[in-house]
Amino acid sequence: MYTLPKIERFNQNVASKYNIYNSVFITLPFDEIDNTGVLLPLFSEVCQKGFKNSQSPEEIFDAFVAKYLDNPTQQEKESLMFRFIQYIERQVVLFDAIEDAGFAVVNNLEGKGSLRDMKESAEQKNKQEELKEFLENFKIRTVLTAHPTQFYPGSVLGIITDLTQAIRENDLHSIKELLAQLGKTPFIKQEKPTPYDEAISLIWYLENVFYETAGAMMQYIQKNILKGELPKNDILNLGFWPGGDRDGNPFVTTEITLKVADRLRSSILKNYYTDIRNLKRKLTFIGVDTIIADVENKLYRSVFYSQGEIFINLEELKDKLLQVKMLVATKHQSLYIDEIDLLLNKINLFGFHFATLDIRQNSRIHARVFDAIVSNKKTIFPENYQDLSEDQKLQFLSNVTSDLEESDFEDETAKSTIGSILAMKTIQESNGEKACNRYIISNNESALHVFETLSMFHLCGWQNPTVDIVPLFESVEDLEKADKVMEQLYTNPTYANHLKARGNEQTIMLGFSDGTKDGGYLMANWGIYKAKEALTAISRKYDVKVMFFDGRGGPPARGGGKTNKFYASLGPTIENQQIQLTVQGQTISSNFGTLDSCRYNLENLLSAGASNQVFTKNENELTADEKVILQNLSEISYQKYVDFKNHDMFVPYLERMSTLNYYAKTNIGSRPSKRNASDKLDFADLRAIPFVGSWSQLKQNVPGFYGVGTALKNYEDNNEWQKVSDLYNNSLFFKTLIENSMMALSKSFFPLTAYMKNDKEFGEFWQLIYTEFLETKRLLLKLSGYKELMENYPDGKASVELREKIVLPLLTIQQYALLKIKELKESANPDEKQIAIYEKIVTRSLFGNINASRNSA
């Protein structure tokens, strides 16, 4: 049977269904807002026409009021804006649910990038043994973080899940009920969540999505690639940051860390218990039934009756199931053996920990902690320690030990840091080593930062810590010297011994988000590529197996976009035995929120690794000439971005013309929106998420393109265009960067803020951004040969366009409110009450736009 093109499948299963169900939604009679559903489509039309005619948001809203409302009061206008916001938020939810329901139809789950495709490609190319070897060594680690970009409260996520199922089944009655429920369910979080609340929200995805998906993938590998042999390699790992990520979050305490670890263990045991109960109904055979009943009883007591007590350990659980499998295979014709293997695969993946809880802290905080440690009476630090050179400090720390405890310190930061180290040991004892065996140092600038962290374990009496110390290099400058830092560590006997005990494996984290914020789009990506090459070379020199952990966000500006293509593009000069990346906010719900999308994206990541190491090995290596071009492009782009960042209007523009100051008021995350508590905005203290998110709300997406056009134009002006054209056609790495930048451009909409060009203070600055946007768009289209952005992803383009159309009225209201706030604040007698109302409108408008973008921060 003929399969329709992807864009037609999208139009039939997503776009058309949205139009149908949205027409049902906007006619539902909600209390006091029965005319909103009638007025919203009219306002949407007025917005579209208004921006085409170069009207400002203020002119558009005033024109709508004059045409469709009967001389309303100020209060009535404000009330309508709030009601529009409420409706649009729910339209976004409806679209999310429809897109999720149609995911398997629009995206071929058995097509390119799938496990099946990987298996068949290996068979066609006679590379079955290479594929088996790859799967015996390769790992994926998706790390769920609590970074605040998810605006849906738990109640709304539940509605999305039920609505998705109802849409999949075309159950109109249930759809109408769920839409009515959605209309009456609040989206606002009255209070900030605690880190534990964030952990509970994300554990839902572990329990309901990752558990089933990862288990099924491992079983497919076992049956179809490994010919029935249980995989020895835990290919799919999960990481977890809520409750362990202390960087900039004073609310993460030792108590929270231990509580989250306990919850992770109880959650995985509960999942095992459910599976065992289902198995018990099937394995009713003599000799098997008693073993299963015993396992069920012990799991039940461990989950529901214990105060932290475990009545069955991991090894016993595995042994009992292997015993059951042998009995079933030898005496009961292998009946239900697939179900037994499925559970064994899950246990091999998730142990008693479910996901590895990473501990993370900033090197600047460590410096303060070390000051407290040095002055502690229990340690043997010399009085002049702080005056020693870095080499002298490293030499001294190589042999330092103690038995520090939290109670040895008065300083709360020192107490918390020592507590986190002791907590790691406690968690490993109760949940297994994999439960908590990584300590990440953000803002890592030197070998001393890494060594001080290792020394803290020794100072806490943990002489041979079963912990990986993971430096996180973020700024352009730190990336450039990262290999020198690691060489210092590799050649230090104490650190070398630590690595030897850890299997001579070193994980290094690289920050796309802060790298882009610091150096712009091209320089961040190229800087990380070069750092990976240099770190690979230095690690191979000292016989260390290096693994890279990428701190990615959702959008291209934070290392997101088409991540599978990015990993497939890395050549043999970059170690690629593992793909480790952070996943956060609405990217978790959009990429891993359903069984279908989770499977699709995990299989694509696995396929990217296989592509690089099995199918296109050595094909993606950049030539010396290509590296020169990339370096030159990056340097030009970097200078353009730095000049822009240093512009006098840069910080004032973000403070006064964007939504930056409103992120902290949304109560979506436990972390403060900036690292410094000062009222004055310091760019260095600004977090990447509100920074990138604010540009996204403005529909300017600066971090995803600024400087790219200038760099390309340099080659055009110097009659060297063919060089970048050849690079685009020959390098998958460069092509992926360009395509991801196109995505950032396609989500920009400058007519929304075009009124700013007439602003006396900021007009010139706005024009600077717009000029670079136009130039980048022109040259990316010239480079790709496309007539439109994202032309090669028509379904993705259609999804972006429909989502942008849904939120256009919301963005118009947001800009209208920002304009009014600016006017009121600049007036002789500012009306503080009126300002507060408009500020509330701006804050409320953030929710729907972020959710609609799905990867905007």
Side-chain angles (χ1 to χ4, degrees):
M1 184 179 173
Y2 172 67
T3 303
L4 292 171
K6 206 170 180 182
I7 181 61
E8 290 188 35
R9 300 200 301 272
F10 175 86
N11 287 333
Q12 283 186 9
N13 293 278
V14 179
S16 296
K17 282 189 176 182
Y18 173 75
N19 290 330
I20 292 166
Y21 293 134
N22 184 50
S23 65
V24 173
F25 173 67
I26 62 174
T27 57
L28 289 175
F30 300 123
D31 295 343
E32 300 176 10
I33 53 172
D34 53 345
N35 66 330
T36 310
V38 176
L39 291 173
L40 181 55
L42 298 172
F43 181 52
S44 181
E45 190 178 337
V46 168
C47 290
Q48 289 170 53
K49 288 181 179 176
F51 287 122
K52 279 183 183 174
N53 295 327
S54 303
Q55 289 182 299
S56 72
E58 189 172 18
E59 290 168 333
I60 289 168
F61 186 77
D62 289 345
F64 169 78
V65 168
K67 186 172 182 179
Y68 292 107
L69 301 182
D70 185 17
N71 199 26
T73 64
Q74 178 64 24
Q75 191 174 359
E76 286 171 336
K77 287 194 283 186
E78 291 159 4
S79 174
L80 182 62
M81 281 188 266
F82 279 116
R83 280 154 34 203
F84 278 164
I85 290 169
Q86 289 175 312
Y87 255 79
I88 294 163
E89 285 172 344
R90 287 153 178 81
Q91 285 179 317
V92 172
V93 170
L94 174 60
F95 189 80
D96 281 350
I98 291 169
E99 202 160 44
D100 286 344
F103 190 91
V105 180
V106 176
N107 300 280
N108 183 1
L109 298 187
E110 305 294 339
K112 187 173 174 57
S114 68
L115 276 172
R116 180 176 176 176
D117 174 62
M118 195 190 307
K119 168 187 167 285
E120 291 176 353
S121 295
E123 289 170 349
Q124 288 165 10
K125 297 176 181 180
N126 198 26
K127 291 195 172 188
Q128 294 98 318
E129 287 306 310
E130 287 98 322
L131 181 59
K132 276 183 70 175
E133 186 182 349
F134 164 76
L135 292 169
E136 285 166 4
N137 295 288
F138 189 79
K139 293 181 192 292
I140 288 170
R141 184 189 293 251
T142 50
V143 180
L144 307 188
T145 79
H147 292 340
T149 60
Q150 174 56 271
F151 284 75
Y152 293 141
S155 55
V156 174
L157 287 171
I159 295 171
I160 293 176
T161 301
D162 294 341
L163 189 56
T164 299
Q165 187 59 33
I167 290 166
R168 199 175 280 136
E169 295 169 358
N170 289 315
D171 182 350
L172 187 59
H173 176 71
S174 294
I175 291 168
K176 286 187 73 172
E177 283 190 336
L178 287 161
L179 288 174
Q181 180 189 350
L182 186 66
K184 293 175 177 289
T185 302
F187 275 47
I188 307 167
K189 296 177 181 178
Q190 298 297 339
E191 296 178 357
K192 274 183 174 292
T194 67
Y196 186 68
D197 294 332
E198 292 170 331
I200 296 299
S201 296
L202 292 190
I203 286 172
W204 184 93
Y205 291 100
L206 299 183
E207 292 174 334
N208 295 282
V209 184
F210 283 95
Y211 180 75
E212 297 298 340
T213 304
M217 285 175 64
M218 293 299 284
Q219 190 169 36
Y220 182 94
I221 290 168
Q222 177 192 343
K223 290 180 69 175
N224 298 285
I225 300 174
L226 302 182
K227 307 304 179 190
E229 185 183 339
L230 276 169
K232 296 181 182 66
N233 177 29
D234 54 338
I235 301 164
L236 306 169
N237 295 179
L238 295 176
F240 204 74
W241 276 16
D245 181 10
R246 285 164 159 69
D247 183 14
N249 194 338
F251 308 112
V252 178
T253 62
T254 302
E255 182 187 1
I256 289 280
T257 301
L258 292 168
K259 196 175 172 185
V260 169
D262 283 346
R263 182 57 182 256
L264 285 165
R265 186 187 65 231
S266 66
S267 293
I268 191 59
L269 291 179
K270 199 178 292 181
N271 277 28
Y272 293 158
Y273 171 71
T274 302
D275 280 358
I276 284 288
R277 282 198 66 185
N278 292 333
L279 267 178
K280 186 183 174 188
R281 296 184 63 174
K282 297 176 178 180
L283 301 178
T284 51
F285 326 131
I286 294 172
V288 174
D289 55 349
T290 53
I291 301 173
I292 289 293
D294 179 52
V295 172
E296 180 203 24
N297 177 260
K298 287 178 176 176
L299 281 172
Y300 181 80
R301 289 163 67 200
S302 300
V303 172
F304 299 107
Y305 275 134
S306 78
Q307 296 295 320
E309 188 178 356
I310 300 298
F311 295 91
I312 184 169
N313 64 37
L314 182 60
E315 288 311 309
E316 184 185 355
L317 179 59
K318 284 183 186 178
D319 289 345
K320 295 272 190 186
L321 280 170
L322 287 169
Q323 190 181 344
V324 165
K325 181 181 176 181
M326 185 188 70
L327 287 169
V328 167
T330 55
K331 296 186 177 181
H332 303 289
Q333 293 76 49
S334 295
L335 196 56
Y336 299 124
I337 205 161
D338 280 353
E339 284 90 335
I340 300 168
D341 276 343
L342 178 59
L343 182 52
L344 278 166
N345 275 312
K346 290 173 179 175
I347 292 168
N348 286 333
L349 286 182
F350 304 123
F352 274 19
H353 63 283
F354 216 158
T356 299
L357 182 60
D358 287 343
I359 305 296
R360 184 172 77 131
Q361 186 53 283
N362 197 295
S363 65
R364 293 170 187 169
I365 299 296
H366 279 181
R368 283 169 44 194
V369 174
F370 231 74
D371 285 343
I373 290 174
V374 169
S375 60
N376 188 279
K377 292 185 177 70
K378 285 175 73 172
T379 58
I380 52 168
F381 282 81
E383 288 184 14
N384 67 334
Y385 174 79
Q386 300 293 18
D387 299 323
L388 299 178
S389 67
E390 182 174 340
D391 286 340
Q392 289 172 322
K393 285 180 178 178
L394 287 170
Q395 187 176 354
F396 177 80
L397 291 173
S398 295
N399 301 300
V400 71
T401 62
S402 191
D403 56 351
L404 298 176
E405 297 177 4
E406 286 182 79
S407 57
D408 295 326
F409 299 91
E410 292 182 8
D411 179 77
E412 287 302 320
T413 304
K415 276 179 180 287
S416 174
T417 304
I418 298 302
S420 68
I421 289 171
L422 298 173
M424 292 181 79
K425 197 168 191 178
T426 302
I427 293 166
Q428 287 193 14
E429 288 166 357
S430 60
N431 296 12
E433 189 212 299
K434 289 181 181 177
C436 191
N437 64 356
R438 308 206 311 176
Y439 196 113
I440 300 163
I441 315 148
S442 51
N443 192 43
N444 194 92
E445 297 173 334
S446 68
L448 185 61
H449 285 158
V450 178
F451 214 91
E452 282 178 342
T453 307
L454 177 61
S455 298
M456 282 196 284
F457 284 85
H458 296 159
L459 288 162
C460 289
W462 200 352
Q463 294 312 310
N464 299 299
T466 47
V467 172
D468 297 322
I469 310 297
V470 182
L472 165 52
F473 298 103
E474 299 177 86
S475 70
V476 172
E477 183 184 346
D478 291 339
L479 286 166
E480 286 176 347
K481 64 181 183 183
D483 60 320
K484 304 290 188 298
V485 168
M486 296 314 299
E487 184 169 29
Q488 265 187 285
L489 292 164
Y490 293 158
T491 54
N492 178 284
T494 301
Y495 196 80
N497 285 333
H498 170 70
L499 279 184
K500 190 175 180 182
R502 302 297 296 157
N504 262 2
E505 294 183 354
Q506 172 70 57
T507 301
I508 298 171
M509 190 174 178
L510 303 159
F512 283 79
S513 303
D514 285 288
T516 305
K517 175 176 158 267
D518 179 52
Y521 179 70
L522 273 184
M523 180 55 90
N525 280 277
W526 178 235
I528 285 173
Y529 188 98
K530 287 193 302 175
K532 283 186 175 182
E533 276 198 322
L535 288 163
T536 298
I538 205 69
S539 299
R540 287 173 179 172
K541 177 181 175 182
Y542 291 100
D543 198 27
V544 174
K545 182 180 175 184
V546 68
M547 272 82 69
F548 296 115
F549 175 22
D550 293 332
R552 292 176 170 274
R558 296 188 55 234
K562 301 290 181 182
T563 52
N564 57 310
K565 287 188 74 172
F566 173 85
Y567 286 113
S569 73
L570 301 179
T573 55
I574 291 176
E575 201 70 70
N576 199 24
Q577 284 290 311
Q578 294 193 18
I579 291 177
Q580 300 187 24
L581 70 163
T582 53
V583 191
Q584 56 210 26
Q586 79 276 42
T587 311
I588 297 173
S589 55
S590 61
N591 287 5
F592 301 97
T594 67
L595 294 172
D596 288 337
S597 62
C598 185
R599 175 191 157 192
Y600 180 83
N601 285 293
L602 284 179
E603 289 192 8
N604 266 269
L605 283 174
L606 193 56
S607 175
S611 171
N612 211 343
Q613 293 188 42
V614 180
F615 301 116
T616 59
K617 204 169 184 178
N618 300 333
E619 289 181 20
N620 292 316
E621 187 171 2
L622 291 167
T623 66
D625 288 343
E626 287 172 338
K627 287 181 179 180
V628 169
I629 297 167
L630 273 163
Q631 180 66 27
N632 193 34
L633 286 168
S634 298
E635 286 174 357
I636 297 166
S637 172
Y638 177 65
Q639 192 55 55
K640 177 73 173 178
Y641 180 80
V642 168
D643 289 345
F644 173 67
K645 196 173 69 172
N646 292 335
H647 195 288
D648 290 343
M649 288 294 107
F650 185 86
V651 171
Y653 183 80
L654 280 174
E655 274 195 298
R656 292 161 51 198
M657 305 300 279
S658 83
T659 58
L660 180 68
N661 292 326
Y662 298 89
Y663 265 78
K665 300 176 183 180
T666 56
N667 290 334
I668 58 164
S670 65
R671 285 203 316 178
S673 60
K674 56 181 183 172
R675 290 184 171 90
N676 194 316
S678 157
D679 290 336
K680 186 176 183 297
L681 179 62
D682 185 341
F683 181 79
D685 291 325
L686 185 59
R687 295 193 184 283
I689 287 170
F691 174 72
V692 174
S694 297
W695 290 113
S696 172
Q697 294 281 335
L698 282 167
K699 288 297 160 191
Q700 293 176 359
N701 287 327
V702 159
F705 73 82
Y706 201 89
V708 177
T710 295
L712 291 172
K713 190 172 188 301
N714 181 267
Y715 276 78
E716 184 184 55
D717 290 346
N718 291 322
N719 296 315
E720 294 183 307
W721 184 256
Q722 193 59 45
K723 287 184 178 181
V724 288
S725 180
D726 290 344
L727 180 64
Y728 175 82
N729 291 316
N730 297 330
S731 167
L732 182 59
F733 171 73
F734 184 60
K735 192 169 194 172
T736 302
L737 292 189
I738 294 300
E739 288 182 352
N740 283 338
S741 190
M742 279 189 186
M743 187 189 295
L745 291 171
S746 67
K747 290 186 176 184
S748 298
F749 183 67
F750 278 83
L752 178 72
T753 55
Y755 71 90
M756 293 183 188
K757 66 185 173 187
N758 299 318
D759 188 278
K760 289 179 183 177
E761 191 174 4
F762 295 107
E764 184 183 325
F765 188 76
W766 182 91
Q767 191 63 51
L768 199 68
I769 301 168
Y770 186 49
T771 300
E772 183 67 12
F773 166 81
L774 291 175
E775 198 67 336
T776 305
K777 182 180 177 181
R778 177 182 74 82
L779 290 166
L780 292 197
L781 290 175
K782 179 180 179 179
L783 190 61
S784 61
Y786 300 152
K787 290 186 173 63
E788 296 178 323
L789 296 170
M790 291 183 70
E791 192 178 296
N792 56 331
Y793 295 109
D795 58 308
K797 183 174 183 291
S799 176
V800 168
E801 287 174 351
L802 191 41
R803 286 175 177 276
E804 297 299 317
K805 183 179 177 183
I806 291 169
V807 296
L808 187 61
L810 184 69
L811 292 164
T812 307
I813 290 168
Q814 182 185 97
Q815 285 297 318
Y816 177 87
L818 286 168
L819 270 163
K820 291 297 181 185
I821 292 166
K822 191 169 183 289
E823 282 177 19
L824 287 164
K825 284 185 174 180
E826 290 173 357
S827 64
N829 296 301
D831 184 337
E832 295 298 334
K833 187 177 177 183
Q834 194 63 48
I835 289 172
I837 292 170
Y838 282 124
E839 285 184 335
K840 188 177 179 183
I841 288 172
V842 173
T843 303
R844 289 286 287 108
S845 70
L846 294 174
F847 293 58
N849 186 37
I850 284 284
N851 288 328
S853 297
R854 281 208 156 182
N855 71 350
S856 59

